[in-house]
Amino acid sequence: MSSFSQFPLARLRRLRQNGGLRRLVRQTTLTPADFIYPMFIRHGQNVRQEVSSMPGVYQQSVDTLPAEAAELRSLGIPAVMLFGLPAEKDPVGRENFAPDGIVQQAIRALRQADPDLVIMTDVCLCEYTDHGHCGLVEDGQILNDPTLEILGQVAVSHARAGATMVGPSAMMDGQVAAIRRALDEAGFPQIPIMAYSAKFASGFYGPFREAADSPPQFGDRSTYQMDPANNREAMREIALDVAEGADIIMVKPALPYLDIIRQARDTFPDLPLAAYNVSGEYSMLKAAARLGWLDEKRVALESLTAIKRAGADMILTYWAKDAARWLD
Ligand code: PBG
C-alpha cells in the first residue's frame, strides 16, 4: 500500500460530496432495458385480478395485453416472461402445448401489439398439471426423461405462436438439449433458450404459487430443484446447460443467492446472465412497506442494483414497471 492510500491523504468522502460526483463515480446503474416483466395470463374477458400476496401484480386476460404492451414500450422495458393459468388441469397438462392455449393466445396478442417486444415464455408443467409438479408423475415419482418430450412440445408450440425466446424452468436433467432439438427439428433454430439453470428449491416462491396457482399437491420440489446449500452444484448445472445449448443462463432466486450470481458471472464470463428477483423477495418488501417499516422505492432500487452489481445482466422482476418509472 502506498502512503497515498492512507488517511489523511486518502479521504474517500471527497467523491461523495454531492449528487453529481456520486453519479460520476457510480459503478452500477440500472436502466429499464435491464428488466424482464413477469406476467400471469388467465382465461376470460376484461379480467385484472390482483394477487393478494403480491400487491401490484395481476392475473389478467388476453384482451388486456395490448394496453400492457403499449405501457411497457413507453417505459422502455424490452421483455416479458409469460406464465399461464389453464382452463383445466390434468396429469399431463394438455393446455400447455395446445395451439390455442392461454399462453399461445397471449403470445399472439402481444406480438400483434408490438413486433419488437421480447416475448419470453416459462416452459414448465406445474401450472398445467393437476398434481402441480414440474414433471410427469408416476407412483409418486417425478419422471425425468418422459417429461423432456412434453417440454419440447411446449417450447415448439410457443415458438409457433410467435414467442421470441423460451425459458425452461422445470429443472429436469437434459431439458435444454431436448428443447433445442425439438425447436431445431420444428424449424425454429433461431429461437434462443434462456435456461433457468441454477434454480433452487426455495421458500421464496410461495407467493408465486398463489399467482400461478401451481403448488405441488404432494411433497415438494426438492428432488428436482437445487438444494439451497450448494454452490458448486450450481456451477455444474450451468455448465451442463451451456453445453446443451443455452443462450442465456439464469440464477434464481436472486437476493438470497447473490454469491451464486457472482460466481456464475466469474465462471461463465461470456454468457448473458439473468437473475430472477422472485415473488417472495417482492412480497416481503411490499409487506414491510405497507406497514411503514421500509421505503419501498428505496429498498426495491437498492435490491435491483445489488443484483446487477453481483453480476446479472438482466433481472426478471415484478417491480419492472415501477422501477422504470422511478428511474425516469
Ligand atoms: C415454474 C416456476 C416457478 C417460478 C418461476 N417458474 C415456481 C416454482 O418453481 O415453484 C417462481 C417465480 C417466483 O417465485 O416469482 N416452475
Side-chain angles (χ1 to χ4, degrees), residues 285-306:
L285 298 192
K286 276 276 182 193
R290 285 202 156 181
L291 288 166
W293 293 351
L294 287 175
D295 172 348
E296 181 187 357
K297 171 179 169 181
R298 203 171 156 188
V299 292
L301 290 177
E302 185 176 334
S303 300
L304 295 169
T305 301

Side-chain angles (χ1 to χ4, degrees), residues 92-98 103-104 121-125 128 148-160 166 179 183:
V92 175
R94 302 209 170 273
E95 190 178 322
N96 210 351
F97 46 88
V103 162
Q104 290 79 358
T121 58
D122 187 80
V123 175
C124 192
L125 269 55
Y128 293 84
L148 300 179
E149 155 113 36
I150 311 266
L151 293 171
Q153 284 181 47
V154 173
V156 168
S157 82
H158 292 170
R160 283 209 176 103
V166 294
I179 287 172
L183 287 170

Side-chain angles (χ1 to χ4, degrees), residues 40 54 83 122 124-127 134 169-170 196 199 204-209 214 216 221 225 252 276-280 318:
F40 301 96
M54 300 178 74
F83 299 93
D122 187 80
C124 192
L125 269 55
C126 60
E127 292 119 60
C134 304
S169 71
Y196 287 67
K199 177 173 175 178
F204 287 98
Y205 306 152
F208 172 95
R209 292 180 187 167
S214 62
R221 305 212 197 290
Q225 297 180 350
K252 178 187 174 193
Y276 201 140
N277 175 221
V278 302
S279 57
Y318 302 100

Side-chain angles (χ1 to χ4, degrees), residues 302-315:
E302 185 176 334
S303 300
L304 295 169
T305 301
I307 293 165
K308 198 167 172 196
R309 188 198 61 228
D313 298 303
M314 60 195 93
I315 306 171

Side-chain angles (χ1 to χ4, degrees), residues 144-216:
N144 195 85
D145 298 13
T147 301
L148 300 179
E149 155 113 36
I150 311 266
L151 293 171
Q153 284 181 47
V154 173
V156 168
S157 82
H158 292 170
R160 283 209 176 103
T164 316
M165 190 177 317
V166 294
S169 71
M171 287 300 282
M172 294 296 123
D173 289 327
Q175 63 181 10
V176 171
I179 287 172
R180 182 72 272 154
R181 197 175 322 114
L183 287 170
D184 290 357
E185 282 172 13
F188 297 105
Q190 80 284 9
I191 299 283
I193 298 176
M194 177 162 83
Y196 287 67
S197 303
K199 177 173 175 178
F200 290 87
S202 173
F204 287 98
Y205 306 152
F208 172 95
R209 292 180 187 167
E210 179 200 339
D213 185 27
S214 62

